[in-house]
Amino acid sequence: MAMDKILVHGGATLQGSVRISGSKNSALPILAAALLTREPCIIHHVPDLSDINYMLQILSQLGAEVERASGTVTIKAENIKTHAPYDIVRKMRASVCVLGPLLGREKEATVALPGGCVIGDRPIDLHLKGFEALGAKVRVVGGDVKVFAAELRGTSISLRGKYGSTVLGTDNVMMAAVLAEGTTVIEAAAAEPEVVDLANFLNAMGARIEGAGTRRIIIEGVSELHGAEHEVIPDRIEAGTFLVAGAICGQGVTLRNVKPSHLESITERLKMAGFHLENTEKTITIKPNGGAKPLELTTEPYPGFPTDMQAQMCALLATSPGISTVTENIFPQRFMHLSEMKRMGADIKIEGSTAIIQGVEKLSAAPVMASDLRASAALVLAGLKAEGVTEINRVYHIDRGYEHIDEKLAELGARIERVKV
Ligand code: EPU
């Protein structure tokens, strides 16, 4: 499994419809939030991904009972431990989002400190600043970060960082503050739909959160949460990735089970890039519309264009006529996919955190190496239009965040195969 390869035979035309899975980045903190109550929580629409498996393993190690039946996960965290050890935590940075619920419920948590990752140094200083503002102490001992408090008290906290807001930081502080004494106001909060989804789940558990989806979230602490049932929102990044596939080589591709309002920044840009898009309440269709055009694109916190779609968009722009520029504002080092695309014949220069892409007529297939989840997806997309067979190695990156991407693309008509190694 771990060393599987994906082979993409370029030149196929995509057509038809594909069902979008539940959101990975919503599901991860929502599963962690189940630690906040002794009662069972039932979460539907949980995607089948290795990152989700890691999270469920962490929850089991912390003492929760976890059951999974296809897309539904039941978690009962009656008696829990507060130490998440390194061997699992190191596999996934999102493990840090157990800190908030453990601190909220048990008033202490110890989690191995996440290291850097290929998209850059990824600190958690803002998470810790938020916990400290609630009255917790923070210690780093033996590679672990320990947070503990005699009691948590509501207060006003700004989570503004050098690159804007923080998604998991907002989640973490929100999950600690729901059981704090008094009212917490989070300023410069992340407004991503995944934060709203978590707030909705917490409110279903008895929390009192207002303003999720805006820059100011207000949390009135309660003394206890109860079990709840919740359905995870559709994955807007998986959806965006399939839209780009439809742009690169589609003749009418429809996404089912999406929330079009979550994808506005993506569909707007695709319209500007020369495609025809149509929405219904739960579907989006993309069709060609007289030829691709270059774009100027900048990644920003929601509702701006997401960093998690930057690599995929570069794959499209690599063969759009004219000069496009793509500026990465959230993770300035997140450009590893560009050197692989250059090996496929793309004409790209990097200046600081901006990529300047001169569209070429076609890419040519090559063996390529994926560096992170979205980079791998982008290389699959680039392969769809490249001449020859593109071999994508280190497919485990894709399996972290895309549910059966090869099967879904094949259903649309792509010639794609997974080689088990
Ligand atoms: N940052 C700090 N200090 C902190 C936290 C973040 O300086 O304490 C910086 C980061 O280094 C980055 C920026 O703030 O430059 C934004 O990072 P953020 O905290 O928002 O990222 P995250 O919450 O760790 C989530 C997603 C990422 C996605 C980012 C940005 C999950 C599990 N992960 O990460 O998703 O790129 O938000 O939208 O929700 C992916 O799915 O491929 C992925 C990487």
Side-chain angles (χ1 to χ4, degrees):
M1 172 72 169
M3 284 319 210
D4 289 2
K5 291 177 185 180
I6 283 184
L7 303 182
V8 183
H9 302 251
T13 300
L14 304 191
Q15 206 163 27
S17 81
V18 60
R19 187 180 162 77
I20 298 306
S21 304
S23 160
K24 166 182 81 91
N25 289 350
S26 250
L28 288 170
I30 285 174
L31 293 169
L35 291 171
L36 281 161
T37 175
R38 304 169 63 89
E39 293 182 11
C41 291
I42 303 169
I43 326 283
H44 302 288
H45 241 163
V46 177
D48 179 16
L49 301 171
S50 54
D51 271 10
I52 297 292
N53 294 338
Y54 291 139
M55 180 56 78
L56 296 179
Q57 279 174 40
I58 292 170
L59 298 181
S60 306
Q61 284 214 347
L62 288 170
E65 289 166 39
V66 176
E67 271 172 46
R68 186 174 190 172
S70 66
T72 296
V73 174
T74 305
I75 298 166
K76 189 162 172 244
E78 198 164 4
N79 298 301
I80 54 172
K81 292 178 267 198
T82 57
H83 183 191
Y86 182 64
D87 59 330
I88 294 199
V89 170
R90 71 184 169 84
K91 295 184 184 151
M92 184 178 64
R93 200 183 161 280
S95 320
V96 295
C97 65
V98 302
L99 275 172
L102 292 177
L103 179 65
R105 173 165 158 187
E106 300 293 326
K107 306 293 175 270
E108 65 165 63
T110 308
V111 172
L113 207 51
C117 69
V118 288
I119 65 179
D121 180 31
R122 295 182 67 186
I124 58 164
D125 56 309
L126 296 168
H127 305 226
L128 300 178
K129 179 185 153 195
F131 296 145
E132 282 177 332
L134 290 170
K137 293 210 164 27
V138 175
R139 299 274 180 274
V140 176
V141 189
D144 288 340
V145 58
K146 178 170 183 174
V147 292
F148 55 99
E151 58 169 7
L152 298 175
R153 286 200 163 272
T155 180
S156 179
I157 305 166
S158 165
L159 290 180
R160 190 184 316 278
K162 201 165 125 197
Y163 303 105
S165 49
T166 164
V167 176
L168 290 178
T170 302
D171 290 345
N172 245 339
V173 175
M174 200 160 68
M175 288 189 281
V178 288
L179 291 178
E181 190 79 26
T183 304
T184 301
V185 180
I186 305 178
E187 306 279 2
E192 269 68 5
E194 293 76 19
V195 175
V196 179
D197 204 23
L198 173 63
N200 288 340
F201 176 56
L202 293 170
N203 283 342
M205 297 171 80
R208 300 178 68 179
I209 303 172
E210 277 176 25
T214 73
R215 296 279 161 220
R216 172 185 284 170
I217 299 178
I218 300 163
I219 304 148
E220 230 182 278
V222 296
S223 58
E224 206 175 30
L225 296 183
H226 50 74
E229 193 165 346
H230 183 78
E231 185 175 303
V232 174
I233 57 170
D235 196 310
R236 65 193 167 100
I237 305 300
E238 186 200 19
T241 303
F242 278 97
L243 284 181
V244 173
I248 287 180
C249 57
Q251 286 295 333
V253 168
T254 299
L255 316 183
R256 288 179 278 121
N257 183 44
V258 283
K259 194 137 192 325
S261 62
H262 291 169
L263 279 115
E264 263 168 30
S265 66
I266 300 167
T267 48
E268 277 311 304
R269 295 317 183 287
L270 288 169
K271 282 181 197 163
M272 291 193 255
F275 299 91
H276 179 79
L277 285 113
E278 253 172 48
N279 301 345
T280 68
E281 200 192 330
K282 285 189 171 178
T283 72
I284 305 179
T285 300
I286 183 162
K287 291 180 188 150
N289 189 19
K293 298 189 193 99
L295 271 189
E296 271 175 42
L297 197 73
T298 302
T299 64
E300 283 163 352
Y302 190 84
F305 188 85
T307 173
D308 287 344
M309 280 300 298
Q310 179 259 106
Q312 301 89 313
M313 211 63 163
C314 289
L316 169 66
L317 298 174
T319 57
S320 300
I323 297 177
S324 296
T325 60
V326 175
T327 301
E328 175 53 71
N329 269 341
I330 310 293
F331 296 110
Q333 301 171 45
R334 196 178 200 177
F335 276 149
M336 305 275 276
H337 43 282
L338 299 183
S339 23
E340 298 300 291
M341 287 180 196
K342 285 202 239 180
R343 297 183 52 250
M344 298 174 73
D347 181 350
I348 303 173
K349 273 193 304 230
I350 301 176
E351 283 177 11
S353 56
T354 299
I356 299 155
I357 306 175
Q358 165 79 62
V360 294
E361 211 160 293
K362 51 174 84 110
L363 298 177
S364 64
V368 288
M369 195 83 92
S371 52
D372 82 2
L373 165 59
R374 309 303 169 187
S376 337
L379 295 172
V380 170
L381 297 180
L384 289 173
K385 209 176 171 182
E387 214 155 68
V389 183
T390 301
E391 177 183 316
I392 294 116
N393 291 286
R394 299 199 185 166
V395 164
Y396 57 87
H397 286 297
I398 302 197
D399 295 331
R400 298 184 66 152
Y402 288 92
E403 198 175 50
H404 316 304
I405 192 173
D406 44 334
E407 290 166 29
K408 286 185 176 184
L409 282 170
E411 271 173 50
L412 290 171
R415 285 180 291 150
I416 182 169
E417 59 196 293
R418 182 185 285 258
V419 182
K420 306 250 176 218
V421 180

